[in-house]
Amino acid sequence: MTVVPAQSTSGLIPAPRAAVPGSTFPAGFAWGAATAAYQIEGAVTEDGRTPSIWDVFSHTPGKVVNGDNGDTAVDHYHRFREDVRLMADLGLTSYRFSLAWPRIQPTGRGPAVERGLDFYRALTDELLAHGITPVATLYHWDLPQHLEDLGGWTVRDTSYRFAEYAALAAEALGDRIGTWTTLNEPWCSAFLGYGSGVHAPGHTSPAEALKAAHHLNLGHGLAVGALRAALPASAQIALSLNLHQVRPLTGDASDADAVRQIDAVGNRIFTGPVLRGAYPADLLEDTVHLVDWDALVQPGDLDEISRPIDLLGINYYTPTVVSSRENAEAGARSDVHGASEHSPWPGADDIVFHQAPGAVTAMDWPIDATGLTDLLLDVHQAHPGLPMLVTENGAAFDDEVGPDGTVDDSDRIAYLHDHLGAVARAIEAGADVRGYYLWSLMDNFEWAHGYAKRFGAVHVDYQTLVRTPKASAKWYSEVIRRGGLA
Ligand code: FCB
């Protein structure tokens, strides 16, 4: 086991200090990259791990492009030392990864499996030995299938199971990991998992999606309590949301109302209870015909859910443009992360989604960095003083290894340059942004798109699993070395 040197990081993301000379970014800013367990680890049957909902879903014909699955992924489980070396070569000061619940608590109840924990002990020791601050996400979508068989996130018990798992993870790893994120993008878990069905477990019920959203919120709050009880007082606890930067197609009042509605069921359904202790009244009204909120939200739930957090993680890729049906033109677009005839937006059947103008990434996601500045400033204004991390931002492009063995991804460099500039503008305007995590460290299993979409700063050859840093990796390492954009 690696010995952690005395000068290693405190495991915390520091409060902002003076700006690096010539840069907007403060000294101590976390320059990171992110991944998630199911997308990179592989080794799905090793050391006591049981199937997650993503194992079952990806092995169901027709659910993932090319029938891809995470059985091997990029074999990070066996190659993590090489991957940490890549991070160190990049100069990363922080790394955001997720813990696989089915490795740590395979049936979703009972004691932790030491062999599962040992992997994360070894990984975090390796990170700390290289001076890289670990940020652990407890849940990046890989629910133990055992719990899905009992109702998954549509049932309340799963929230309590999640808090128990959080306690086990914190007790075992709290000496090494100072910064924790409960959930990654609960919007996707609830509305793509139980609404549109493009994500595991692939259900298509608006009522189930809303129930899942509440139980994810409750699970988050209970987990915050469990983490606070198990971790030192200095620990930082966060939640990562893919907040939608919602924009109207026209200046018409009906489009403003479309924005309100999508903001409610896309954003405020999480920020309301978590940061304000209440579900927004307009959300409850918009969805009253779909779910019995009075039965769903039990006494005391909102107190649990609104336990204070230390940092809000924000994941941003592209803005969301909406209109009322009257104002819709031809060309309404399918939704993020995969097309489905079922809507991931309960109660918003009359709202039409539009492709924002301009260039797109390989995901067909319009490139618009102003959305990131606006989003950070919106959160800053709505929740003054709340420290933020950009826990994901990046782009897929059809990268190819050139004849000389290099990967020239200048389109990704342009994307990252613009989006880091967008973060800088938000900081200049007063937002307390403490870190940026590029999605993703390396190419990986992109959910319903399988291996067809490459988001990495490091290229992975899926035949040989050879890693090759792309031009963007070299560019990012220069940014980190300078402490900001040139
Ligand atoms: C986010 C997910 C992440 C990855 C990126 C592209 O929604 O959190 O795992 O799929 O999108």
Side-chain angles (χ1 to χ4, degrees):
M1 186 149 298
T2 317
V3 176
V4 180
Q7 75 274 19
S8 83
T9 161
S10 66
L12 295 174
I13 308 294
R17 303 180 204 141
V20 169
S23 167
T24 297
F25 294 93
F29 188 80
W31 295 101
T35 63
Y38 189 71
Q39 297 181 274
I40 63 165
E41 284 181 2
V44 291
T45 56
E46 280 180 48
D47 295 331
R49 184 187 181 279
T50 56
S52 73
I53 54 176
W54 267 97
D55 295 86
V56 173
F57 188 75
S58 63
H59 280 269
T60 306
K63 298 298 186 191
V64 174
V65 170
N66 296 325
D68 290 342
N69 58 58
D71 289 3
T72 305
V74 299
D75 198 31
H76 173 73
Y77 196 72
H78 300 116
R79 295 168 196 246
F80 70 92
R81 290 187 204 281
E82 175 187 350
D83 292 337
V84 174
R85 255 199 318 278
L86 282 168
M87 296 178 216
D89 290 348
L90 260 161
L92 296 189
T93 65
S94 185
Y95 172 56
R96 172 178 179 249
F97 59 100
S98 78
L99 309 178
W101 189 349
R103 259 188 218 295
I104 292 179
Q105 197 192 31
T107 62
R109 62 178 68 241
V113 170
E114 286 303 317
R115 284 171 301 165
L117 288 168
D118 282 344
F119 170 68
Y120 297 109
R121 289 190 180 105
L123 169 63
T124 46
D125 283 350
E126 196 72 10
L127 291 167
L128 292 168
H130 286 85
I132 300 171
T133 300
V135 174
T137 299
L138 282 164
Y139 185 73
H140 200 127
W141 307 353
D142 43 1
L143 185 73
Q145 179 64 32
H146 280 272
L147 292 182
E148 180 55 36
D149 293 342
L150 300 171
W153 288 108
T154 71
V155 299
R156 221 179 140 77
D157 187 53
T158 300
S159 315
Y160 291 90
R161 306 281 94 244
F162 181 62
E164 191 180 289
Y165 151 63
L168 293 174
E171 279 155 18
L173 301 167
D175 57 344
R176 298 165 162 83
I177 303 174
T179 305
W180 295 74
T181 296
T182 55
L183 304 172
N184 175 70
E185 301 190 357
W187 183 85
C188 292
S189 299
F191 297 106
L192 302 183
Y194 295 90
S196 71
V198 302
H199 278 188
H203 295 195
T204 53
S205 156
E208 283 191 17
L210 291 166
K211 286 182 190 165
H214 177 63
H215 295 139
L216 283 152
N217 280 332
L218 180 60
H220 157 79
L222 293 167
V224 173
L227 291 172
R228 294 260 185 247
L231 294 171
S234 58
Q236 295 169 315
I237 301 177
L239 164 69
S240 282
L241 299 175
N242 56 320
L243 292 177
H244 301 80
Q245 173 60 28
V246 197
R247 294 174 166 175
L249 182 69
T250 74
D252 195 87
S254 65
D255 287 358
D257 196 59
V259 169
R260 176 201 60 73
Q261 223 173 310
I262 295 306
D263 180 48
V265 74
N267 300 333
R268 288 182 286 116
I269 191 169
F270 302 107
T271 55
V274 171
L275 299 173
R276 299 193 186 286
Y279 281 102
D282 59 331
L283 167 78
L284 303 183
E285 250 170 65
D286 292 343
T287 55
V288 67
H289 56 297
L290 296 171
V291 78
D292 180 353
W293 283 99
D294 290 337
L296 184 59
V297 183
Q298 297 191 5
D301 283 6
L302 290 163
D303 292 337
E304 290 292 351
I305 297 171
S306 59
R307 284 172 182 272
I309 55 174
D310 304 302
L311 296 158
L312 183 67
I314 291 174
N315 297 355
Y316 173 82
Y317 291 90
T318 188
T320 303
V321 179
V322 297
S323 78
S324 64
R325 199 161 289 288
E326 307 92 87
N327 290 336
E329 297 156 355
R333 70 174 174 97
S334 64
D335 212 278
V336 289
H337 280 300
S340 165
E341 64 202 78
H342 299 278
S343 169
W345 301 102
D349 302 332
D350 284 329
I351 290 168
V352 181
F353 289 78
H354 301 267
Q355 184 87 3
V360 295
T361 67
M363 297 292 279
D364 251 348
W365 294 350
I367 301 172
D368 186 346
T370 65
L372 181 53
T373 308
D374 292 350
L375 189 52
L376 293 167
L377 290 178
D378 285 354
V379 173
H380 169 61
Q381 269 142 32
H383 306 283
L386 179 65
M388 292 176 269
L389 292 175
V390 176
T391 40
E392 284 182 27
N393 174 246
F397 290 105
D398 296 326
D399 307 312
E400 278 169 27
V401 183
D404 61 351
T406 64
V407 184
D408 171 16
D409 58 342
S410 41
D411 32 18
R412 181 171 292 99
I413 293 176
Y415 180 99
L416 297 173
H417 182 277
D418 289 355
H419 286 74
L420 277 170
V423 176
R425 277 189 291 285
I427 293 174
E428 281 157 12
D432 181 359
V433 187
R434 299 189 179 184
Y436 174 90
Y437 295 77
L438 189 166
W439 184 274
S440 178
L441 172 68
M442 52 192 165
D443 294 337
N444 59 49
F445 176 79
E446 177 47 37
W447 309 114
H449 297 277
Y451 297 100
K453 303 293 176 193
R454 294 180 176 274
F455 273 91
V458 174
H459 180 274
V460 179
D461 178 323
Y462 292 120
Q463 303 307 314
T464 61
L465 297 172
V466 166
R467 280 90 158 121
T468 307
K470 303 176 190 177
S472 61
K474 301 197 174 82
W475 175 85
Y476 192 42
S477 68
E478 276 300 298
V479 171
I480 297 172
R481 202 184 48 76
R482 276 195 305 265
L485 298 169

